[in-house]
Amino acid sequence: YVWFCSQFKALRQDLTVQRIFNAFTVHVYETHARVALEQGDLNEFNQCQTQLKDLYEKLAHDESEKKAGLKNETEFIAYRILYYVFLSGNKKYEGGSSDMMKILLTLSSEQRADPTISHALKVRVAVAEYDYHAFFTLQDDCPNMGAYLMDYLVPSVRRDALQRIKKAFRPHIPV
């Protein structure tokens, strides 16, 4: 993975330096993001995700590249939502709610109806409402590679669930 990652970084840098912003560039970033996600490299995933957001905006105005470049946009919007849900549980990260609100405000009704984005929004609600059963049900039928991101949420969701159960049923349930 380390070798592949360095190759992807070099390719991404070349594309950026040469100011190439087309469907191929999007494909490179999407592929690197997926590989990084599969390998558990959240830093690389986040770098790709950040660039993809800008690339999607640029290609939305380019009719010749629009169709090929934006075909996976909803998948990566869903990943971004799941990533921000993960970050919202991190005490060091202050911008989680504002980033999430920006995404929610920019979603169109067609995007909200997309199965991948709809699933990510349900995960957000399940975590916010402490609905552990819904969270784990959603994890079982997560589309695309979102389950890799949800795996990062599992420890904190389990810890929160255990703490709430312990408080609610304190004298009757042994630790």
Side-chain angles (χ1 to χ4, degrees):
Y1 169 72
V2 174
W3 182 81
F4 277 112
C5 185
S6 67
Q7 297 301 307
F8 272 120
K9 280 184 176 182
L11 184 55
R12 287 174 24 208
Q13 184 177 14
D14 288 346
L15 290 167
T16 302
V17 168
Q18 295 177 30
R19 303 178 71 62
I20 299 173
F21 307 114
N22 58 18
F24 175 72
T25 307
V26 169
H27 179 67
V28 168
Y29 276 94
E30 288 175 346
T31 303
H32 192 191
R34 288 184 183 113
V35 171
L37 195 56
E38 192 172 359
Q39 293 298 315
D41 190 350
L42 282 182
N43 289 328
E44 283 301 321
F45 169 78
N46 187 40
Q47 288 178 18
C48 292
Q49 179 77 345
T50 303
Q51 282 300 116
L52 279 169
K53 183 176 129 184
D54 295 336
L55 285 169
Y56 289 143
E57 287 176 17
K58 287 178 184 175
L59 291 184
H61 305 293
D62 185 354
E63 292 301 321
S64 63
E65 297 286 334
K66 192 174 188 175
K67 184 176 181 184
L70 299 179
K71 68 180 177 184
N72 298 319
E73 182 181 21
T74 56
E75 174 187 353
F76 281 88
I77 290 172
Y79 294 156
R80 196 172 328 128
I81 291 169
L82 292 174
Y83 184 71
Y84 288 148
V85 169
F86 165 70
L87 287 181
S88 67
N90 186 346
K91 304 295 183 226
K92 296 177 187 176
Y93 183 67
E94 298 292 324
S97 61
S98 65
D99 290 336
M100 180 66 79
M101 289 308 295
K102 287 177 189 173
I103 292 175
L104 295 176
L105 291 173
T106 59
L107 288 177
S108 67
S109 58
E110 294 85 23
Q111 287 175 322
R112 286 179 183 270
D114 182 81
T116 55
I117 293 177
S118 174
H119 179 274
L121 293 173
K122 289 176 186 173
V123 170
R124 184 187 79 77
V125 169
V127 170
E129 293 180 352
Y130 305 106
D131 187 348
Y132 310 113
H133 180 266
F135 174 83
F136 287 108
T137 302
L138 289 165
Q139 186 186 22
D140 288 340
D141 60 340
C142 190
N144 300 321
M145 298 181 75
Y148 287 105
L149 285 167
M150 288 186 72
D151 287 345
Y152 287 100
L153 291 166
V154 169
S156 63
V157 168
R158 284 187 177 150
R159 184 187 62 245
D160 291 347
L162 183 61
Q163 287 175 345
R164 288 180 179 276
I165 291 170
K166 186 177 72 178
K167 284 180 183 177
F169 302 102
R170 184 172 291 170
H172 303 295
I173 294 190
V175 174

